[in-house]
Amino acid sequence: MYRNFFKRLFDFTVAFFALLILSPVFLVVTAGLYFANSGKPFFFQARPGLNEKIFKIIKFKTMNDNKDSNGALLPDADRLTPVGAFVRKTSLDELPQLINVLKGDMSLIGPRPLLPQYLSLYNETQKRRHLVRPGITGWAQVNGRNAISWTKKFELDVWYVDNISFATDIKVFVTTFKKVFKSEGISQEGQITTEYFKGNDDKG
C-alpha cells in the first residue's frame, strides 16, 4: 500500500511545502548563481527514471562553461565557482529537484537518477534500480554517497527497491540531513564528484 499509493502522496505533500518554506533560499541561490554563471543558474540534463523513461532533471548549476583555447570545457575543478562550491557542499544544488518530485518524475527517496549512457552498461540485477522512481536522496546516499564504489552503490539501490517501506524512507530522510550537515561523502578522494561508471566485468 505504501509503495503503490502513500509514497507518492508523501512525496508530493513534502515537496510542495518544502518549496514554499525554502522559497527564500531558492531565490537567493538562484540570484547568486545567475551572476556567477553568466545568467544560467539552472542545469538541465536527461536522466532515466521509472522504467527507464527519460526525463529532464533540474539542478542548480554549480560550474561555469569556461573552455580552453581549443573550445573544450575545462576540468570540473577549474569550472566550479566559489558560489557553486558552497551550494554543492551544502547540497543546495539538489533543491530544484523538488520540482521534479511535484511533476512525478522523481521521488524524495530512491536510487539517484544517473546518465542515460549507463543504461547499456548495467547487468540484469543493476537494471532493477529503475523499477521505482529515482530519488533526490537514497539508501546509497546515506551509506556512502559518492565516496563508495559503483558496485556497492548499485547493491544498495537494489536493496532499497526490494525493501521499500515508510520506516526506511524516514530513516533515509533523517540520515540525509545528518550527512549534509557533516558534508560527508560528497566526493570521491581527489575528485570533485565521482568518476564515470564504465560497466561491469560480469554482465550477469
Side-chain angles (χ1 to χ4, degrees), residues 56-194:
K56 286 289 184 71
I57 196 171
I58 311 169
K59 298 181 73 173
F60 278 127
K61 187 177 176 67
T62 57
M63 293 185 288
N64 58 40
D65 297 320
N66 291 347
K67 300 177 180 179
D68 61 23
S69 58
N70 296 318
L73 287 173
L74 294 174
D76 289 357
D78 295 332
R79 295 189 294 117
L80 185 65
T81 64
V83 175
F86 172 78
V87 169
R88 179 168 289 184
K89 182 178 181 180
T90 55
S91 293
L92 287 172
D93 56 321
E94 312 288 358
L95 189 57
Q97 288 167 63
L98 290 171
I99 298 172
N100 287 121
V101 175
L102 290 178
K103 292 173 59 182
D105 298 326
M106 295 178 64
S107 175
L108 293 172
I109 314 296
R112 284 294 297 159
L114 302 176
L115 299 173
Q117 53 264 43
Y118 292 173
L119 290 174
S120 63
L121 302 177
Y122 297 141
N123 61 36
E124 291 304 311
T125 300
Q126 292 166 350
K127 287 181 179 179
R128 298 186 63 247
R129 69 192 306 278
H130 291 289
L131 294 178
V132 298
R133 285 184 178 87
I136 295 178
T137 185
W139 190 242
Q141 280 60 53
V142 300
N143 285 282
R145 200 174 175 180
N146 289 331
I148 58 176
S149 69
W150 281 112
T151 299
K152 183 62 177 178
K153 193 178 298 185
F154 294 146
E155 288 177 359
L156 293 168
D157 286 342
V158 174
W159 182 93
Y160 176 80
V161 171
D162 294 334
N163 294 275
I164 289 177
S165 69
F166 181 68
T168 300
D169 279 3
I170 291 298
K171 182 176 182 179
V172 172
F173 197 80
V174 172
T175 308
T176 294
F177 282 100
K178 294 180 181 178
K179 293 283 184 179
V180 170
F181 181 76
K182 295 179 180 179
S183 298
E184 292 181 354
I186 292 175
S187 63
Q188 289 186 328
E189 185 176 354
Q191 300 195 43
I192 293 298
T193 52
T194 187

